Amino acid sequence: MKKISLVVFIILFAMGFCLLSVLLSSSNGKTDEVILRVPEGAGAAAIGRSLADKHLVRSYINFRLASFVLGAETKMQAGTYRLSSSMPLYRIVFMLKNGETSWEPVKMTFPEGTSIYKMGALMEQGGIPCGREFKDLAARANVPYFAKDFPFLQDVAIDSLEGYLYPDTYVFARDVTAEVLADLMLTRFAEVVIPFWIEQGAGHTGYSLHQILTLASIIEKEAQMPEERPVISSVFHNRLEAGMPLGADPTIKYALENPTKKVYYNQLRIDSPYNTYKRAGLPPGPICNPGIESIKAAVYPAKTDYYFFVANEDGSHTFTMTSA
C-alpha cells in the first residue's frame, strides 16, 4: 500500500513539475517585442494560434493548457497587447485575462470640412481598426447614447453626427472604439463651439445651432480662402432671406453616392433633400464637420448685396449682385 501511495505521489509530483515548467516556460528567451491585437469575440483557440504563429509561446497546446489551469480560457479580453517572447507563459495568460493592454498612441488630424465618411476613411488608411465601425456609428447617430452626456444633442432631430464631430488633431489608442472616439470629438465640440454659441451666437442670430452648423458646413466647403468666409456667408444669408435656393455644389456632392470632383448639369436633378438647386432653404443637416471660423462666419455674415459668386482658378471667388 505504501508502495502504491509512493508511486501516486511520484506521478502527481511529476505532473505538477511538468505543469509548472509549462507555466514558467517562455518561447525562446529572446526579448523581441511583438504587438498582438485581439479582436472582440476572439476565443482562446484563435488567440493561441496567433501567439504560436508569432512565436510568443512554444506551442498552441501549452497555451490552451495554461489557460484552462489558470481559469482564463473563457475570459480573454480584446485589445492591443505588447508582448515579448521572453515572457513566461503564465504572465501572457494573465495579461490576456486581465486585459492588460498596451496603450499604443496614435496622432491623427481631421481637417476642417472633413465629413464623417472621410473621417472613417482616414482612420482606415491610418490602420485604425474601428474606421468602418466609426462611419456606421456616426451615420446612424445613436443620439440617445450620446445625448445623456451632451445636452446640445437632446433637442435636435438628427439622424447623423455630421457637423458635431469637431475637426482637430487627436491622440488616442490604436485600438480605440468608435464610441470612445465619437465621444472625444463631441467633447471637443462642447469645449470649442458651445461657449461661443452661448456667449455670442445664440443671441445674434435667429437660426438654431443645428441650422448654423448646416450653413457653416456649406461655407467650409465653398471657402478656399479664409477671408472669404463671411462674404460667402452673406450670399447664402441673402438667398435664404429672399427665399431663393442656395444653389451650393457641395450639397450636391454630399447627396451623390459616388461624387465627382466637378458637379455636372445632369447631377443637379438628383432627388435629395440635400439638393439645394431644387429645394429652397437649408438642407436637413450639415454636409461636413466645420471649424469654428466657418461657424462664426455663419453667425456673423458680412453685410453685402451679393446673391451670386463664381470660383476663380486661384481658389478665390468673384461676387456679384446678379447672375449676369
Side-chain angles (χ1 to χ4, degrees):
M1 190 69 176
K2 290 181 179 180
K3 288 183 179 180
I4 295 175
S5 297
L6 180 60
V7 170
V8 172
F9 174 78
I10 293 173
I11 292 173
L12 292 175
F13 179 81
M15 290 175 62
F17 181 79
C18 290
L19 179 58
L20 183 62
S21 297
V22 168
L23 294 175
L24 294 175
S25 68
S26 61
S27 175
N28 54 23
K30 295 181 180 179
T31 57
D32 298 339
E33 285 192 340
V34 176
I35 300 299
L36 177 73
R37 293 188 178 89
V38 178
E40 290 288 346
I47 296 172
R49 292 190 185 93
S50 294
L51 289 168
D53 290 342
K54 293 178 180 292
H55 306 291
L56 288 166
V57 297
R58 286 186 180 177
S59 77
Y60 161 79
I61 299 299
N62 282 4
F63 176 76
R64 293 300 303 275
L65 176 61
S67 300
F68 175 77
V69 171
L70 297 175
E73 195 168 23
T74 60
K75 299 179 180 179
M76 303 290 180
Q77 297 190 42
T80 301
Y81 296 84
R82 191 181 298 275
L83 305 174
S84 169
S85 57
S86 64
M87 286 180 174
L89 180 53
Y90 79 88
R91 176 65 182 137
I92 292 176
V93 172
F94 276 132
M95 287 182 70
L96 293 165
K97 178 183 178 181
N98 298 329
E100 297 177 33
T101 55
S102 170
W103 197 80
E104 187 183 353
V106 175
K107 186 176 183 180
M108 183 166 288
T109 298
F110 300 96
E112 296 172 345
T114 307
S115 71
I116 55 176
Y117 305 103
K118 182 62 175 177
M119 283 181 170
L122 288 173
M123 292 166 63
E124 289 183 276
Q125 293 168 14
I128 309 302
C130 73
R132 185 180 299 276
E133 182 185 353
F134 178 85
K135 285 189 289 187
D136 293 340
L137 172 73
R140 71 173 183 266
N142 188 358
V143 176
Y145 176 85
F146 293 106
K148 65 181 185 297
D149 296 319
F150 301 102
F152 54 83
L153 294 176
Q154 292 177 358
D155 299 323
V156 184
I158 59 175
D159 57 5
S160 166
L161 290 178
E162 193 81 88
Y164 294 87
L165 301 175
Y166 195 75
D168 208 338
T169 297
Y170 295 92
V171 178
F172 48 85
R174 184 171 293 278
D175 60 341
V176 66
T177 65
E179 289 81 4
V180 168
L181 189 51
D183 189 276
L184 190 65
M185 293 180 173
L186 289 167
T187 298
R188 187 63 179 147
F189 179 93
E191 293 172 347
V192 177
V193 178
I194 296 304
F196 162 75
W197 178 251
I198 293 175
E199 295 168 12
Q200 302 178 50
H204 188 82
T205 179
Y207 293 103
S208 68
L209 174 60
H210 186 70
Q211 291 172 319
I212 286 295
L213 291 176
T214 302
L215 180 55
S217 71
I218 302 173
I219 295 169
E220 192 74 77
K221 284 297 190 181
E222 292 280 18
Q224 299 297 309
M225 297 186 173
E227 63 272 17
E228 288 191 347
R229 288 186 180 116
V231 186
I232 291 174
S233 178
S234 74
V235 172
F236 291 139
H237 273 277
N238 291 342
R239 281 175 164 261
L240 288 170
E241 290 172 10
M244 298 170 60
L246 294 181
D249 286 1
T251 65
I252 300 295
K253 292 183 179 182
Y254 195 76
L256 296 172
E257 186 173 346
N258 295 301
T260 52
K261 187 174 183 179
K262 181 180 178 180
V263 175
Y264 295 95
Y265 182 77
N266 67 312
Q267 295 172 330
L268 301 183
R269 296 194 295 267
I270 185 173
D271 184 20
S272 168
Y274 287 90
N275 187 338
T276 57
Y277 278 84
K278 293 178 63 175
R279 298 167 183 261
L282 289 166
I287 61 171
C288 70
N289 294 283
I292 188 63
E293 294 306 318
S294 288
I295 295 171
K296 289 179 179 179
V299 174
Y300 295 103
K303 294 186 182 300
T304 75
D305 294 322
Y306 298 138
Y307 286 86
F308 301 89
F309 61 84
V310 293
N312 302 315
E313 290 185 2
D314 63 356
S316 66
H317 292 86
T318 298
F319 300 89
T320 60
M321 295 173 59
T322 65
S323 59

Short mmCIF file of all heavy atoms in Angstrom, two decimals, residues 2-55:
data_model
loop_
_atom_site.label_atom_id
_atom_site.label_comp_id
_atom_site.label_asym_id
_atom_site.label_seq_id
_atom_site.Cartn_x
_atom_site.Cartn_y
_atom_site.Cartn_z
N LYS A 2 1.95 1.16 0.80
CA LYS A 2 2.85 2.30 0.86
C LYS A 2 3.53 2.52 -0.47
O LYS A 2 3.78 3.64 -0.89
CB LYS A 2 3.89 2.09 1.96
CG LYS A 2 3.32 2.17 3.36
CD LYS A 2 4.42 1.98 4.39
CE LYS A 2 3.84 2.10 5.81
NZ LYS A 2 4.89 1.92 6.83
N LYS A 3 3.82 1.39 -1.18
CA LYS A 3 4.47 1.49 -2.48
C LYS A 3 3.55 2.17 -3.48
O LYS A 3 3.96 2.99 -4.30
CB LYS A 3 4.86 0.11 -2.99
CG LYS A 3 6.03 -0.51 -2.23
CD LYS A 3 6.40 -1.84 -2.84
CE LYS A 3 7.59 -2.46 -2.09
NZ LYS A 3 7.96 -3.76 -2.68
N ILE A 4 2.24 1.82 -3.45
CA ILE A 4 1.26 2.43 -4.36
C ILE A 4 1.15 3.93 -4.09
O ILE A 4 1.12 4.75 -5.02
CB ILE A 4 -0.12 1.75 -4.21
CG1 ILE A 4 -0.03 0.31 -4.66
CG2 ILE A 4 -1.17 2.50 -5.04
CD1 ILE A 4 -1.32 -0.48 -4.44
N SER A 5 1.07 4.29 -2.80
CA SER A 5 0.98 5.70 -2.43
C SER A 5 2.20 6.47 -2.92
O SER A 5 2.11 7.62 -3.38
CB SER A 5 0.85 5.85 -0.91
OG SER A 5 -0.33 5.24 -0.46
N LEU A 6 3.35 5.84 -2.80
CA LEU A 6 4.59 6.48 -3.23
C LEU A 6 4.59 6.70 -4.74
O LEU A 6 4.99 7.76 -5.23
CB LEU A 6 5.79 5.62 -2.82
CG LEU A 6 7.17 6.18 -3.21
CD1 LEU A 6 7.39 7.54 -2.55
CD2 LEU A 6 8.26 5.20 -2.80
N VAL A 7 4.09 5.67 -5.47
CA VAL A 7 4.02 5.78 -6.93
C VAL A 7 3.08 6.92 -7.34
O VAL A 7 3.39 7.72 -8.23
CB VAL A 7 3.54 4.46 -7.55
CG1 VAL A 7 3.25 4.64 -9.04
CG2 VAL A 7 4.59 3.37 -7.36
N VAL A 8 1.90 6.96 -6.67
CA VAL A 8 0.95 8.03 -6.96
C VAL A 8 1.55 9.39 -6.68
O VAL A 8 1.40 10.34 -7.46
CB VAL A 8 -0.35 7.84 -6.13
CG1 VAL A 8 -1.27 9.05 -6.28
CG2 VAL A 8 -1.07 6.57 -6.56
N PHE A 9 2.25 9.48 -5.55
CA PHE A 9 2.90 10.75 -5.18
C PHE A 9 3.92 11.18 -6.24
O PHE A 9 3.97 12.34 -6.64
CB PHE A 9 3.58 10.60 -3.83
CG PHE A 9 4.40 11.81 -3.44
CD1 PHE A 9 3.79 12.95 -2.95
CD2 PHE A 9 5.79 11.80 -3.59
CE1 PHE A 9 4.55 14.07 -2.61
CE2 PHE A 9 6.54 12.91 -3.25
CZ PHE A 9 5.92 14.05 -2.76
N ILE A 10 4.69 10.19 -6.68
CA ILE A 10 5.72 10.49 -7.69
C ILE A 10 5.07 10.96 -8.99
O ILE A 10 5.52 11.92 -9.62
CB ILE A 10 6.62 9.25 -7.94
CG1 ILE A 10 7.44 8.96 -6.68
CG2 ILE A 10 7.52 9.48 -9.15
CD1 ILE A 10 8.23 7.66 -6.77
N ILE A 11 3.97 10.28 -9.37
CA ILE A 11 3.28 10.66 -10.61
C ILE A 11 2.70 12.07 -10.49
O ILE A 11 2.86 12.89 -11.40
CB ILE A 11 2.16 9.65 -10.92
CG1 ILE A 11 2.76 8.29 -11.29
CG2 ILE A 11 1.28 10.17 -12.07
CD1 ILE A 11 1.73 7.20 -11.46
N LEU A 12 2.04 12.34 -9.37
CA LEU A 12 1.45 13.67 -9.16
C LEU A 12 2.53 14.75 -9.11
O LEU A 12 2.36 15.84 -9.66
CB LEU A 12 0.62 13.69 -7.88
CG LEU A 12 -0.66 12.86 -7.89
CD1 LEU A 12 -1.32 12.87 -6.51
CD2 LEU A 12 -1.63 13.39 -8.94
N PHE A 13 3.65 14.40 -8.46
CA PHE A 13 4.76 15.34 -8.37
C PHE A 13 5.31 15.64 -9.76
O PHE A 13 5.58 16.80 -10.11
CB PHE A 13 5.86 14.78 -7.48
CG PHE A 13 7.05 15.69 -7.36
CD1 PHE A 13 7.04 16.77 -6.48
CD2 PHE A 13 8.18 15.48 -8.14
CE1 PHE A 13 8.14 17.60 -6.39
CE2 PHE A 13 9.28 16.31 -8.05
CZ PHE A 13 9.27 17.37 -7.16
N ALA A 14 5.44 14.59 -10.56
CA ALA A 14 5.96 14.75 -11.92
C ALA A 14 5.01 15.59 -12.78
O ALA A 14 5.45 16.45 -13.55
CB ALA A 14 6.17 13.38 -12.57
N MET A 15 3.68 15.32 -12.62
CA MET A 15 2.71 16.09 -13.38
C MET A 15 2.74 17.57 -12.96
O MET A 15 2.68 18.45 -13.81
CB MET A 15 1.31 15.52 -13.16
CG MET A 15 1.09 14.15 -13.80
SD MET A 15 -0.55 13.45 -13.40
CE MET A 15 -1.62 14.69 -14.13
N GLY A 16 2.83 17.80 -11.66
CA GLY A 16 2.89 19.16 -11.16
C GLY A 16 4.14 19.87 -11.65
O GLY A 16 4.11 21.04 -12.01
N PHE A 17 5.25 19.13 -11.66
CA PHE A 17 6.51 19.71 -12.11
C PHE A 17 6.43 20.06 -13.60
O PHE A 17 6.87 21.14 -14.02
CB PHE A 17 7.66 18.72 -11.88
CG PHE A 17 9.00 19.25 -12.30
CD1 PHE A 17 9.69 20.15 -11.50
CD2 PHE A 17 9.55 18.86 -13.51
CE1 PHE A 17 10.92 20.65 -11.91
CE2 PHE A 17 10.77 19.35 -13.91
CZ PHE A 17 11.48 20.24 -13.11
N CYS A 18 5.81 19.17 -14.37
CA CYS A 18 5.65 19.43 -15.81
C CYS A 18 4.75 20.63 -16.06
O CYS A 18 5.03 21.48 -16.92
CB CYS A 18 5.06 18.20 -16.49
SG CYS A 18 6.21 16.81 -16.59
N LEU A 19 3.66 20.70 -15.27
CA LEU A 19 2.74 21.83 -15.43
C LEU A 19 3.44 23.13 -15.06
O LEU A 19 3.30 24.14 -15.74
CB LEU A 19 1.51 21.62 -14.54
CG LEU A 19 0.46 22.74 -14.57
CD1 LEU A 19 -0.04 22.96 -15.99
CD2 LEU A 19 -0.69 22.41 -13.64
N LEU A 20 4.21 23.10 -13.97
CA LEU A 20 4.95 24.29 -13.54
C LEU A 20 5.95 24.71 -14.61
O LEU A 20 6.11 25.90 -14.90
CB LEU A 20 5.68 24.01 -12.22
CG LEU A 20 6.43 25.20 -11.60
CD1 LEU A 20 5.45 26.32 -11.27
CD2 LEU A 20 7.18 24.76 -10.35
N SER A 21 6.56 23.72 -15.23
CA SER A 21 7.53 24.01 -16.29
C SER A 21 6.84 24.69 -17.48
O SER A 21 7.40 25.60 -18.10
CB SER A 21 8.21 22.72 -16.76
OG SER A 21 8.95 22.14 -15.70
N VAL A 22 5.63 24.19 -17.76
CA VAL A 22 4.87 24.79 -18.86
C VAL A 22 4.53 26.24 -18.54
O VAL A 22 4.70 27.15 -19.37
CB VAL A 22 3.58 23.98 -19.14
CG1 VAL A 22 2.65 24.76 -20.08
CG2 VAL A 22 3.92 22.63 -19.74
N LEU A 23 4.03 26.49 -17.32
CA LEU A 23 3.62 27.83 -16.93
C LEU A 23 4.78 28.80 -16.90
O LEU A 23 4.63 30.00 -17.19
CB LEU A 23 2.93 27.80 -15.57
CG LEU A 23 1.59 27.05 -15.50
CD1 LEU A 23 1.08 27.00 -14.07
CD2 LEU A 23 0.56 27.69 -16.41
N LEU A 24 5.96 28.32 -16.54
CA LEU A 24 7.13 29.18 -16.42
C LEU A 24 7.91 29.31 -17.72
O LEU A 24 8.81 30.14 -17.83
CB LEU A 24 8.07 28.65 -15.33
CG LEU A 24 7.53 28.71 -13.90
CD1 LEU A 24 8.51 28.05 -12.93
CD2 LEU A 24 7.26 30.15 -13.47
N SER A 25 7.54 28.49 -18.69
CA SER A 25 8.30 28.47 -19.94
C SER A 25 8.07 29.73 -20.76
O SER A 25 7.02 30.38 -20.67
CB SER A 25 7.91 27.25 -20.78
OG SER A 25 6.57 27.39 -21.23
N SER A 26 9.07 30.10 -21.52
CA SER A 26 8.93 31.20 -22.49
C SER A 26 9.17 30.60 -23.86
O SER A 26 9.52 29.44 -24.00
CB SER A 26 9.95 32.31 -22.20
OG SER A 26 11.27 31.81 -22.31
N SER A 27 8.98 31.42 -24.88
CA SER A 27 9.09 30.90 -26.23
C SER A 27 10.51 30.53 -26.60
O SER A 27 10.83 29.40 -26.91
CB SER A 27 8.54 31.92 -27.23
OG SER A 27 8.73 31.49 -28.55
N ASN A 28 11.41 31.52 -26.55
CA ASN A 28 12.78 31.24 -26.97
C ASN A 28 13.83 32.05 -26.22
O ASN A 28 15.00 32.03 -26.59
CB ASN A 28 12.92 31.49 -28.48
CG ASN A 28 12.46 32.89 -28.86
OD1 ASN A 28 12.45 33.79 -28.03
ND2 ASN A 28 12.08 33.08 -30.11
N GLY A 29 13.38 32.78 -25.21
CA GLY A 29 14.35 33.52 -24.41
C GLY A 29 14.77 34.85 -24.99
O GLY A 29 15.49 35.60 -24.36
N LYS A 30 14.30 35.18 -26.19
CA LYS A 30 14.63 36.47 -26.78
C LYS A 30 13.76 37.57 -26.16
O LYS A 30 12.78 37.29 -25.48
CB LYS A 30 14.40 36.43 -28.30
CG LYS A 30 15.33 35.49 -29.04
CD LYS A 30 15.05 35.53 -30.53
CE LYS A 30 15.98 34.58 -31.28
NZ LYS A 30 15.70 34.59 -32.74
N THR A 31 14.13 38.81 -26.39
CA THR A 31 13.39 39.91 -25.79
C THR A 31 12.63 40.74 -26.85
O THR A 31 12.22 41.85 -26.58
CB THR A 31 14.34 40.84 -25.02
OG1 THR A 31 15.37 41.29 -25.92
CG2 THR A 31 14.98 40.11 -23.86
N ASP A 32 12.49 40.18 -28.04
CA ASP A 32 11.78 40.91 -29.10
C ASP A 32 10.35 41.20 -28.68
O ASP A 32 9.63 40.31 -28.23
CB ASP A 32 11.77 40.09 -30.39
CG ASP A 32 13.18 39.85 -30.91
OD1 ASP A 32 14.07 40.60 -30.53
OD2 ASP A 32 13.36 38.89 -31.69
N GLU A 33 9.93 42.47 -28.83
CA GLU A 33 8.54 42.83 -28.53
C GLU A 33 7.66 42.60 -29.76
O GLU A 33 8.07 42.88 -30.89
CB GLU A 33 8.45 44.28 -28.08
CG GLU A 33 8.96 44.51 -26.66
CD GLU A 33 8.59 45.88 -26.15
OE1 GLU A 33 8.31 46.77 -26.97
OE2 GLU A 33 8.59 46.06 -24.92
N VAL A 34 6.48 42.10 -29.50
CA VAL A 34 5.53 41.83 -30.57
C VAL A 34 4.18 42.44 -30.17
O VAL A 34 3.76 42.32 -29.02
CB VAL A 34 5.36 40.32 -30.81
CG1 VAL A 34 4.29 40.06 -31.87
CG2 VAL A 34 6.68 39.70 -31.23
N ILE A 35 3.55 43.12 -31.13
CA ILE A 35 2.21 43.68 -30.89
C ILE A 35 1.18 42.64 -31.29
O ILE A 35 1.16 42.17 -32.43
CB ILE A 35 2.00 44.98 -31.69
CG1 ILE A 35 3.03 46.04 -31.29
CG2 ILE A 35 0.57 45.50 -31.47
CD1 ILE A 35 2.96 46.44 -29.83
N LEU A 36 0.33 42.26 -30.34
CA LEU A 36 -0.74 41.31 -30.61
C LEU A 36 -2.07 42.02 -30.46
O LEU A 36 -2.37 42.58 -29.39
CB LEU A 36 -0.67 40.13 -29.63
CG LEU A 36 -1.80 39.10 -29.78
CD1 LEU A 36 -1.58 38.26 -31.05
CD2 LEU A 36 -1.88 38.19 -28.55
N ARG A 37 -2.87 42.01 -31.52
CA ARG A 37 -4.21 42.61 -31.46
C ARG A 37 -5.24 41.51 -31.36
O ARG A 37 -5.34 40.66 -32.24
CB ARG A 37 -4.45 43.48 -32.70
CG ARG A 37 -3.55 44.70 -32.74
CD ARG A 37 -3.92 45.67 -33.86
NE ARG A 37 -3.04 46.84 -33.82
CZ ARG A 37 -1.89 46.92 -34.47
NH1 ARG A 37 -1.48 45.91 -35.21
NH2 ARG A 37 -1.14 48.01 -34.37
N VAL A 38 -6.00 41.53 -30.29
CA VAL A 38 -7.03 40.53 -30.05
C VAL A 38 -8.39 41.16 -30.36
O VAL A 38 -8.82 42.09 -29.66
CB VAL A 38 -7.01 40.03 -28.59
CG1 VAL A 38 -8.13 39.03 -28.34
CG2 VAL A 38 -5.65 39.41 -28.27
N PRO A 39 -9.07 40.72 -31.40
CA PRO A 39 -10.37 41.31 -31.76
C PRO A 39 -11.47 40.89 -30.80
O PRO A 39 -11.33 39.90 -30.06
CB PRO A 39 -10.62 40.77 -33.17
CG PRO A 39 -9.87 39.48 -33.21
CD PRO A 39 -8.65 39.67 -32.35
N GLU A 40 -12.56 41.63 -30.81
CA GLU A 40 -13.73 41.29 -29.99
C GLU A 40 -14.23 39.90 -30.37
O GLU A 40 -14.34 39.55 -31.54
CB GLU A 40 -14.85 42.30 -30.20
CG GLU A 40 -14.58 43.68 -29.62
CD GLU A 40 -14.65 43.72 -28.11
OE1 GLU A 40 -15.18 42.75 -27.53
OE2 GLU A 40 -14.18 44.70 -27.52
N GLY A 41 -14.53 39.10 -29.35
CA GLY A 41 -15.10 37.78 -29.58
C GLY A 41 -14.09 36.68 -29.85
O GLY A 41 -14.47 35.51 -30.03
N ALA A 42 -12.79 37.02 -29.89
CA ALA A 42 -11.78 36.00 -30.16
C ALA A 42 -11.68 35.05 -28.96
O ALA A 42 -11.61 35.48 -27.81
CB ALA A 42 -10.43 36.64 -30.43
N GLY A 43 -11.68 33.75 -29.22
CA GLY A 43 -11.57 32.76 -28.16
C GLY A 43 -10.13 32.32 -27.92
O GLY A 43 -9.21 32.72 -28.65
N ALA A 44 -9.95 31.48 -26.91
CA ALA A 44 -8.61 31.03 -26.55
C ALA A 44 -7.94 30.27 -27.69
O ALA A 44 -6.73 30.37 -27.88
CB ALA A 44 -8.68 30.15 -25.30
N ALA A 45 -8.73 29.53 -28.46
CA ALA A 45 -8.16 28.76 -29.56
C ALA A 45 -7.53 29.68 -30.60
O ALA A 45 -6.38 29.49 -31.02
CB ALA A 45 -9.24 27.89 -30.21
N ALA A 46 -8.28 30.72 -31.03
CA ALA A 46 -7.77 31.64 -32.04
C ALA A 46 -6.59 32.44 -31.51
O ALA A 46 -5.60 32.67 -32.22
CB ALA A 46 -8.89 32.59 -32.49
N ILE A 47 -6.68 32.85 -30.24
CA ILE A 47 -5.58 33.61 -29.64
C ILE A 47 -4.33 32.74 -29.53
O ILE A 47 -3.21 33.19 -29.82
CB ILE A 47 -5.98 34.14 -28.25
CG1 ILE A 47 -7.15 35.13 -28.39
CG2 ILE A 47 -4.81 34.82 -27.56
CD1 ILE A 47 -7.76 35.56 -27.07
N GLY A 48 -4.51 31.49 -29.14
CA GLY A 48 -3.38 30.57 -29.03
C GLY A 48 -2.66 30.38 -30.35
O GLY A 48 -1.42 30.33 -30.39
N ARG A 49 -3.43 30.26 -31.41
CA ARG A 49 -2.80 30.09 -32.73
C ARG A 49 -2.02 31.35 -33.13
O ARG A 49 -0.93 31.26 -33.71
CB ARG A 49 -3.88 29.79 -33.78
CG ARG A 49 -4.53 28.43 -33.60
CD ARG A 49 -5.42 28.05 -34.79
NE ARG A 49 -6.12 26.80 -34.55
CZ ARG A 49 -7.33 26.71 -34.04
NH1 ARG A 49 -7.99 27.81 -33.70
NH2 ARG A 49 -7.89 25.53 -33.85
N SER A 50 -2.58 32.52 -32.81
CA SER A 50 -1.87 33.78 -33.12
C SER A 50 -0.57 33.87 -32.33
O SER A 50 0.47 34.28 -32.87
CB SER A 50 -2.76 34.98 -32.80
OG SER A 50 -3.88 35.03 -33.64
N LEU A 51 -0.62 33.47 -31.07
CA LEU A 51 0.58 33.50 -30.23
C LEU A 51 1.64 32.55 -30.77
O LEU A 51 2.83 32.88 -30.81
CB LEU A 51 0.21 33.14 -28.79
CG LEU A 51 -0.58 34.18 -28.00
CD1 LEU A 51 -1.12 33.58 -26.71
CD2 LEU A 51 0.29 35.40 -27.69
N ALA A 52 1.21 31.38 -31.17
CA ALA A 52 2.15 30.40 -31.70
C ALA A 52 2.73 30.88 -33.03
O ALA A 52 3.94 30.73 -33.28
CB ALA A 52 1.45 29.05 -31.89
N ASP A 53 1.89 31.47 -33.88
CA ASP A 53 2.36 31.97 -35.17
C ASP A 53 3.40 33.08 -35.00
O ASP A 53 4.31 33.22 -35.82
CB ASP A 53 1.19 32.50 -36.01
CG ASP A 53 0.27 31.39 -36.49
OD1 ASP A 53 0.70 30.22 -36.47
OD2 ASP A 53 -0.88 31.70 -36.86
N LYS A 54 3.23 33.88 -33.94
CA LYS A 54 4.15 34.98 -33.68
C LYS A 54 5.33 34.54 -32.80
O LYS A 54 6.14 35.36 -32.38
CB LYS A 54 3.41 36.14 -33.01
CG LYS A 54 2.38 36.82 -33.91
CD LYS A 54 1.64 37.91 -33.17
CE LYS A 54 0.61 38.60 -34.06
NZ LYS A 54 1.23 39.37 -35.13
N HIS A 55 5.40 33.21 -32.50
CA HIS A 55 6.49 32.64 -31.69
C HIS A 55 6.56 33.25 -30.29
O HIS A 55 7.64 33.41 -29.72
CB HIS A 55 7.84 32.83 -32.40
CG HIS A 55 7.85 32.29 -33.80
ND1 HIS A 55 7.79 30.93 -34.08
CD2 HIS A 55 7.89 32.93 -35.00
CE1 HIS A 55 7.80 30.76 -35.40
NE2 HIS A 55 7.85 31.94 -35.97
#
